[in-house]
Amino acid sequence: QVQLVESGGGSVQAGGSLRLSCAAFGYIASDYCMGWFRQAPGKEREVVAAIYTGGGSTYYADSVKGRFTISQDNPKNTLYLQMNSLKPEDTAIYYCAAQPSWRCEGSPHWGDFRYRGQGTQVTVSS
């Protein structure tokens, strides 16, 4: 089993930055697809970014390209999401997720991931 714990959420003004972290505990496989998702009130959960830990390839939703960066620290079993130039529409609960032995092919969906965190709130005010 793998437990994922997110941190780093908070409130920020538009144009500001936040860095989310996702620490993984338990059995850690050699490679994962790890992703960040978000869900705003009244909206469906959507993928934000994903990374294949075995090779570093990444995926970004069009809405965050050029503003968000996903990265990993393998020795620390930690996933990051650096969020810059935040907008009010980025307000949501952000979740991390992990699927072992998958290269993140295509556009990742929430249902593709076996392990999921509890989420951290990000609020961007105008």
Side-chain angles (χ1 to χ4, degrees):
Q1 287 291 333
V2 175
Q3 183 183 10
L4 302 175
V5 180
E6 303 97 335
S7 62
S11 297
V12 65
Q13 289 190 328
S17 298
L18 283 173
R19 187 176 81 156
L20 305 183
S21 299
C22 172
F25 301 93
Y27 173 73
I28 306 299
S30 59
D31 63 316
Y32 284 87
C33 176
M34 296 198 73
W36 286 101
F37 291 79
R38 67 185 181 187
Q39 187 167 22
K43 295 188 176 181
E44 293 186 357
R45 196 167 326 210
E46 61 177 1
V47 63
V48 175
I51 187 168
Y52 172 56
T53 65
S57 58
T58 57
Y59 168 91
Y60 292 95
D62 288 342
S63 58
V64 305
K65 282 181 181 177
R67 300 189 299 123
F68 290 12
T69 302
I70 189 171
S71 62
Q72 60 188 45
D73 186 332
N74 284 345
K76 294 183 179 179
N77 294 326
T78 301
L79 179 74
Y80 301 102
L81 185 68
Q82 178 67 43
M83 305 186 294
N84 298 328
S85 302
L86 282 161
K87 305 175 181 180
E89 51 263 42
D90 294 317
T91 295
I93 300 174
Y94 283 71
Y95 302 87
C96 73
Q99 176 61 28
S101 304
W102 185 45
R103 294 176 177 264
C104 306
E105 290 95 345
S107 173
H109 293 85
W110 184 247
D112 295 329
F113 293 81
R114 177 178 180 182
Y115 302 110
R116 304 162 179 179
Q118 294 301 307
T120 185
Q121 176 71 48
V122 171
T123 302
V124 184
S125 58
S126 58

